[in-house]
Amino acid sequence: MHGESLHPHDVDITTPSIARMYDYFLGGVDNYQTDRDACEELLKSAPSTRELVINSRLFLQRVVRYLAAERGIAQFIDHGSGLPTRDNVHEVAQRAQPDASVVYIDNDPIVLAHGRALLGKNPHTAVIQADIQDTGFIFDHEDTCRLIDFSRPVAALFVSVLHYIDDDEAAALVRNVTDRLASGSCLVICQRVSDRQEIRRSVTDFMRRTTGGRWGRVREEYEVRSYFSRLEVIDPPGLVEVSTWMPDNDLAPKQKTFEWKEWGGVGVVR
């Protein structure tokens, strides 16, 4: 595994980490009390969050399997990958495409450390510690150049990540990545949305306070739809609440309430 080394002082356990909060909601053990406290506080205003996170992860697995098995894509860049968990992108993709290459991107140093430990023996994967908005750095990185051939289709994953950045920055990020990808590439985009103004305001304010400002905004469906303006949406299923995107079965955890939801789909670069 290539990349930057992790030093103990790089990990701030006094401020909740988005990656560690996800880990807690997914039943992982790589989190601290401050992360668990933040999650429990969030559940008070958004009680469906645990099921939402689980279904977002299941969507990621389904969409990667579909892209690898049905569309023949064997190159993936996972923006905001988070901590490794069961059935990571490379594991799903490599079942269909044994030589599939995956580059994971995250700015949390603990993700880099865990990723290196997990992926060190897999020559077709890499973890890069970077801001997901730094497209030039990511696409020009030595590990990306080693694993990704940009003359061929690539799947760029933005699963439950764009709500971390501001409106103009999110739109610019999607444009910048689209411009660099070959025809036939796919962008997987979904983010937290709500049709309730009080939820958009309260959850956004809570996450900004809790994570030291590392949060953009809970948006509305039409705003996420705008990210696909230069892409051809795969329809069916179109842009939907992600638990309904090509579901395997009815066994996934159900959200009992929809104060917010994960919403999006897959767009093809033409």
Side-chain angles (χ1 to χ4, degrees):
M1 179 60 55
H2 304 272
E4 303 80 355
S5 60
L6 176 68
H7 301 286
H9 63 265
D10 290 332
V11 179
D12 177 8
I13 66 171
T14 64
T15 301
S17 153
I18 298 295
R20 299 192 308 257
M21 289 175 68
Y22 265 79
D23 180 71
Y24 174 71
F25 279 129
L26 290 170
V29 297
D30 296 311
N31 51 76
Y32 298 96
Q33 190 62 48
T34 184
D35 308 304
R36 297 188 284 273
D37 290 345
C39 289
E40 293 301 327
E41 187 66 25
L42 178 58
L43 287 170
K44 293 178 182 178
S45 58
S48 65
T49 300
R50 190 184 306 277
E51 291 76 22
L52 180 152
V53 170
I54 293 171
N55 279 320
S56 173
R57 187 72 192 182
L58 294 174
F59 164 71
L60 173 64
Q61 294 164 357
R62 291 196 308 277
V63 78
V64 168
R65 184 179 67 213
Y66 165 80
L67 293 174
E70 303 298 327
R71 299 191 73 93
I73 292 180
Q75 306 184 105
F76 296 81
I77 302 177
D78 187 2
H79 295 78
S81 56
L83 285 160
T85 185
R86 184 175 62 84
D87 268 358
N88 295 285
V89 170
H90 71 282
E91 294 168 321
V92 176
Q94 288 172 1
R95 289 189 193 117
Q97 302 269 356
D99 293 333
S101 296
V102 179
V103 175
Y104 295 98
I105 312 296
D106 206 287
N107 63 357
D108 192 324
I110 201 169
V111 172
L112 179 70
H114 283 268
R116 181 184 295 115
L118 175 69
L119 306 176
K121 296 182 180 179
N122 191 315
H124 299 292
T125 61
V127 182
I128 299 173
Q129 186 179 351
D131 186 323
I132 64 168
Q133 298 176 69
D134 197 347
T135 303
F137 174 81
I138 293 166
F139 279 49
D140 294 337
H141 194 282
E142 61 178 342
D143 283 338
T144 308
C145 295
R146 173 172 61 87
L147 293 171
I148 305 295
D149 176 0
F150 286 106
S151 69
R152 297 168 46 230
V154 175
L157 311 179
F158 297 94
V159 175
S160 196
V161 69
L162 292 180
H163 45 253
Y164 300 147
I165 58 181
D166 291 335
D167 295 349
D168 292 343
E169 294 171 342
L173 173 57
V174 172
R175 287 196 304 270
N176 291 341
V177 171
T178 301
D179 287 344
R180 288 173 174 261
L181 297 182
S183 176
S185 296
C186 291
L187 275 71
V188 180
I189 303 170
C190 64
Q191 79 141 79
R192 307 283 173 84
V193 303
S194 178
D195 58 6
R196 293 167 54 183
Q197 183 178 17
E198 70 275 15
I199 289 294
R200 295 196 301 273
R201 181 186 299 116
S202 64
V203 173
T204 295
D205 289 347
F206 171 78
M207 292 303 298
R208 286 177 177 173
R209 289 196 315 271
T210 302
T211 62
R214 294 188 290 271
W215 184 267
R217 187 166 64 84
V218 179
R219 297 186 173 97
E220 296 180 76
E221 290 181 8
Y222 80 90
E223 296 176 283
V224 179
R225 188 179 298 278
S226 71
Y227 300 146
F228 293 86
S229 61
R230 297 171 59 199
L231 303 167
E232 181 180 325
V233 175
I234 293 177
D235 189 4
L239 304 181
V240 295
E241 188 271 308
V242 298
S243 71
T244 67
W245 195 95
M246 295 189 185
D248 292 328
N249 50 52
D250 293 327
L251 300 180
K254 301 298 183 185
Q255 286 186 231
K256 295 182 175 63
T257 59
F258 281 92
E259 65 278 355
W260 64 349
K261 60 187 176 183
E262 197 82 47
W263 195 84
V266 182
V268 182
V269 178
R270 293 304 186 192

